[in-house]
Amino acid sequence: MNTAGTRSGRVLLHITLSLLLLAFLTPLLWALSGSFKPRGDIFGYPPDLFPDPFTLDNYRTLLAEQPFVRWFLMSTVVAVVATVVSVFVCALAGYGFAKFRFAGRTLLFNVMFSSLSIPFAVILVPLFVMLVKTGLGSPWFALIVPWVAPAFGIFMMQQYIVQSIPDSVLEAARIDGASEFGIFRRIVLPLLRPSLGALAVWQFLQSYNSFLWPLVLVTDSSQYTLPLGLQTLFVSENRQYDLVLAGAVLAVLPAVALFVVLRKQLLEGLSTGAVKG
Amino acid sequence: MTTALTGKGVGRPARTTRETGGTAPTARPKRTWAPYLFISPFYVLYVLFMLVPVGVSLWLSLTEWVGLGTPRWVGLRNYRLLATDISFHRALGNTAVFVLVAICVIVPLALLIAQALHTRGLRARDLWRTAYFVPIVVSPILVALVFGLFFDRQFGLLNSVLRALFGSGGVDWLGDPGLAKVSIALVMMWRWTGYLTIFFLAGLQAVPRELYEAAALDGAGRLRTFSTVTLPSLKPVTAFVVVTSFIGAAQIFEEPYLLTGGGPAESTLSVSMFIYRAAFQRQQFGYAAAAAVVLFALVFGLSQLFNRVLGIGRAAA
């Protein structure tokens, strides 16, 4: 472990980190404070951190005059479904790779792993053509599809299962006559809970914040997701910064809440795979 | 996989198992379909929504298609056009710059921050970790909006600060081709540094303490310890982080799309934006597919090369 040595070294370290942190958080704090300012004050100079006068009008107008709630529901429902499906798929496959030796395992694993390096922009056009032209382009299906089989999640699950679920537990269950799927459902899934939480948060954020795919796919404004809806306020002729700021703050709340609750698992879960490589 | 499932030669069913040279052949000689059932949902989805689209992309790239009617076969014409398309060259160049920023600036910065956060005697480590990570949960639209205002020529926070400190502001951050790239790079830094820090921090925590003690006994200084103990121990993490950043930066879209629209003068146009623009704004689906195939070849090829050289993804082998 690295030591900071002297007391002054430690003070310097704390100061450096604080300054850096300030740089990281300033944009967010500024957005938060701006969302409570009347429109004219958002660009006030010098910019003040504490809104004066303080107003909730931006939020009120946003909720009253824009279909914010609908955008929010659209994004949330899509993200929740995508998350549940993908976490299940990942746990299944992660378990399959972690605890079985079978013909073609190495090849199949490498195929899965290399799908990490297929950029989304590459499948953007064909996915659009396939789904929209075949009539499967209903947002309820098509918005979910790109997030249901992430290789990253399988890798994460596989690493976690190898490290934390001993073979002996599974053997014991087999001797007791449990079916393979029964073992997965009754023993593996419960043991996986912490890392499932991490993966779930990650997947939720991926879907909830996604922009490019909904931008391409959703043309009907009644089916806009949050980022698309906010974008319409942002690019409309009189840029409604006040409303966008309020909307963005509201939009980020569930993500931040989820993150705060499951922060530990998420941070650890994300790095499980990377450390051992 | 299918041959294993149908298993024609009843007499010698074990052959396929041997061929793979798995590491633990003794575990369970009894053959079972269970593992295939566990991994099959992924492969069904993978084939339908990854492999098939990549194939469709390849085929579309050889056609001319406006999105309606039947695509017209044009052979390699799209690729020949790409080879002389200045916009595409710019997109490739800009994307390369963003990739270099990610690998040469953001990754080392993340390592430095991780090293600082790992220092003994640091208070509230969890709080720092969390705070640096927060940008990753923020949606791109907020990022774009906030930074759009942040960089604004007249009212922007950045220019206000510059004015207060040096008496001169009014820098056209998003309007000047060179500075626009810098601005995008700054946003990337803001968004990704904390995320990458998490990986390095986990890597640092996994370094055995004895290695540091041995280095201290040998009288190695701080720099020496860093280069002989820390860096080598971090190799797997670094490999992972470099490849992840490479793939992430190679498909950058939201930042330039929302902040600069790819401008000024296409100075921030990325390959992903080029593909989006060709397909969905200009109805050149075949042309977009060709650009996508080029991107695919570059990213896939280079990351396979990285994987080979740096040795990642061997965990299951």
Side-chain angles (χ1 to χ4, degrees), chain A residues 1-5 10 13-14 16-18 20-21 23-28 30-31 42-45 47 85 89 92-93 95-97 99-106 108-131 133 141 145 148-152 154-155 158-159 171 174 180-181 184 202 205 209-212 215-216 226-227 230-231 234 241 244-245 248-249 251-252 255-256 259 263-264 266-268 270-271 273-277, chain B residues 1 4 16-17 20 22-24 27-28 32 34-36 38-39 41-43 45-46 48-50 52-54 56-57 60 65 67-68 113 115-123 126-142 144-147 149-150 155 157 160 163-164 189-190 193-195 198-199 202-203 206 209 212 222 236-237 240 247 251 253-254 257-258 272 275-276 279-280 285 288-289 292 295-296 299-300 303-304 307 311-317:
Chain A
M1 199 173 267
N2 196 20
T3 46
R10 215 174 307 156
L13 178 77
H14 280 87
T16 315
L17 282 174
S18 307
L20 212 55
L21 189 68
F24 268 81
L25 292 187
T26 299
L28 293 178
W30 180 80
I42 293 176
F43 296 106
Y45 180 81
V85 176
V89 169
L92 277 174
Y95 175 61
F97 280 121
K99 290 299 180 190
F100 294 92
R101 298 285 174 272
F102 50 91
R105 177 170 171 273
T106 309
L108 286 168
F109 186 84
N110 288 339
V111 167
M112 182 276 292
F113 197 76
S114 59
S115 75
L116 272 177
S117 40
I118 302 179
F120 185 69
V122 171
I123 56 172
L124 177 70
V125 171
L127 209 55
F128 174 81
V129 171
M130 285 163 59
L131 292 174
K133 303 287 165 182
F141 179 76
V145 152
V148 287
F152 177 72
I154 296 177
F155 185 59
Q158 187 255 350
Q159 295 281 308
E171 282 307 326
R174 271 189 200 107
E180 289 295 341
F181 188 73
F184 173 76
W202 184 247
L205 291 175
N209 287 336
S210 66
F211 182 69
L212 175 54
L215 176 72
V216 164
L226 255 177
L230 292 176
Q231 194 221 7
F234 184 44
Y241 287 114
V244 190
L245 279 180
V249 169
V252 91
V256 169
F259 172 67
R263 163 181 70 98
K264 256 210 156 93
L266 179 64
L267 298 185
E268 271 153 31
L270 279 179
S271 43
V275 176
K276 287 200 156 181
Chain B
M1 193 170 123
T16 39
T17 322
T20 58
T23 41
R28 243 167 290 107
T32 156
Y36 298 108
F38 282 120
I39 63 174
F42 167 77
Y43 284 95
L45 293 164
Y46 172 78
L48 280 178
F49 301 117
M50 283 288 230
V52 171
V54 170
V56 172
S57 230
L60 267 183
W65 192 40
L68 292 168
I113 295 179
Q115 180 76 15
L117 289 179
H118 190 61
T119 311
R120 197 186 288 175
L122 182 78
R123 282 159 200 279
D126 256 16
L127 182 78
W128 300 107
R129 278 210 314 175
T130 307
Y132 285 116
F133 190 83
V134 159
I136 209 77
V137 309
V138 175
S139 79
I141 189 83
L142 178 59
L145 173 75
V146 168
F147 278 91
L149 297 176
F150 187 73
F155 313 106
L157 200 58
S160 302
R163 221 172 291 145
M189 278 169 71
W190 183 79
T193 308
Y195 171 63
I198 299 300
F199 294 101
R209 189 174 292 192
Y212 286 116
R222 196 177 282 187
V237 187
F240 181 86
I247 295 168
Q251 47 185 323
F253 175 82
E254 280 104 348
Y257 178 81
L258 290 164
S272 286
I275 295 169
Y276 171 82
F280 301 104
F285 282 81
L295 179 68
F296 172 73
V299 173
F300 197 82
S303 51
Q304 292 303 307
N307 286 350
I312 1 177
R314 294 201 196 123

Side-chain angles (χ1 to χ4, degrees), chain A:
Chain A
M1 199 173 267
N2 196 20
T3 46
T6 59
R7 171 183 284 260
S8 60
R10 215 174 307 156
V11 171
L12 197 69
L13 178 77
H14 280 87
I15 292 175
T16 315
L17 282 174
S18 307
L19 285 176
L20 212 55
L21 189 68
L22 195 68
F24 268 81
L25 292 187
T26 299
L28 293 178
L29 294 176
W30 180 80
L32 184 68
S33 106
S35 73
F36 295 111
K37 291 175 188 169
R39 182 187 278 206
D41 282 11
I42 293 176
F43 296 106
Y45 180 81
D48 41 16
L49 186 57
F50 296 102
D52 177 37
F54 178 95
T55 172
L56 288 172
D57 281 352
N58 300 338
Y59 290 92
R60 238 175 257 138
T61 315
L62 176 79
L63 293 174
E65 291 174 13
Q66 301 290 340
F68 181 85
V69 176
R70 206 170 58 206
W71 299 336
F72 175 77
L73 287 177
M74 188 76 198
S75 279
T76 309
V77 173
V78 164
V80 166
V81 176
T83 302
V84 170
V85 176
S86 71
V87 165
F88 189 65
V89 169
C90 289
L92 277 174
Y95 175 61
F97 280 121
K99 290 299 180 190
F100 294 92
R101 298 285 174 272
F102 50 91
R105 177 170 171 273
T106 309
L107 176 72
L108 286 168
F109 186 84
N110 288 339
V111 167
M112 182 276 292
F113 197 76
S114 59
S115 75
L116 272 177
S117 40
I118 302 179
F120 185 69
V122 171
I123 56 172
L124 177 70
V125 171
L127 209 55
F128 174 81
V129 171
M130 285 163 59
L131 292 174
V132 172
K133 303 287 165 182
T134 56
L136 288 170
S138 139
W140 293 112
F141 179 76
L143 281 179
I144 292 169
V145 152
W147 283 272
V148 287
F152 177 72
I154 296 177
F155 185 59
M156 189 167 143
M157 290 294 114
Q158 187 255 350
Q159 295 281 308
Y160 187 85
I161 293 168
V162 167
Q163 285 164 31
S164 66
I165 299 182
D167 285 336
S168 53
V169 181
L170 308 174
E171 282 307 326
R174 271 189 200 107
I175 290 165
D176 288 346
S179 71
E180 289 295 341
F181 188 73
I183 294 174
F184 173 76
R185 199 167 60 88
R186 296 217 193 90
I187 299 173
V188 177
L189 272 188
L191 286 173
L192 271 181
R193 204 174 290 155
S195 68
L196 288 178
L199 180 59
V201 179
W202 184 247
Q203 283 303 114
F204 181 86
L205 291 175
Q206 292 293 306
S207 171
Y208 185 77
N209 287 336
S210 66
F211 182 69
L212 175 54
W213 180 236
L215 176 72
V216 164
L217 187 84
V218 184
T219 44
D220 181 351
S221 66
S222 71
Q223 293 170 323
Y224 275 173
T225 58
L226 255 177
L228 284 185
L230 292 176
Q231 194 221 7
T232 59
L233 302 178
F234 184 44
V235 297
S236 64
E237 271 168 34
N238 52 337
R239 297 199 152 203
Q240 296 165 297
Y241 287 114
D242 43 351
L243 300 192
V244 190
L245 279 180
V249 169
L250 287 182
V252 91
L253 281 182
V256 169
L258 211 59
F259 172 67
V260 168
V261 174
L262 288 165
R263 163 181 70 98
K264 256 210 156 93
Q265 284 98 308
L266 179 64
L267 298 185
E268 271 153 31
L270 279 179
S271 43
T272 347
V275 176
K276 287 200 156 181

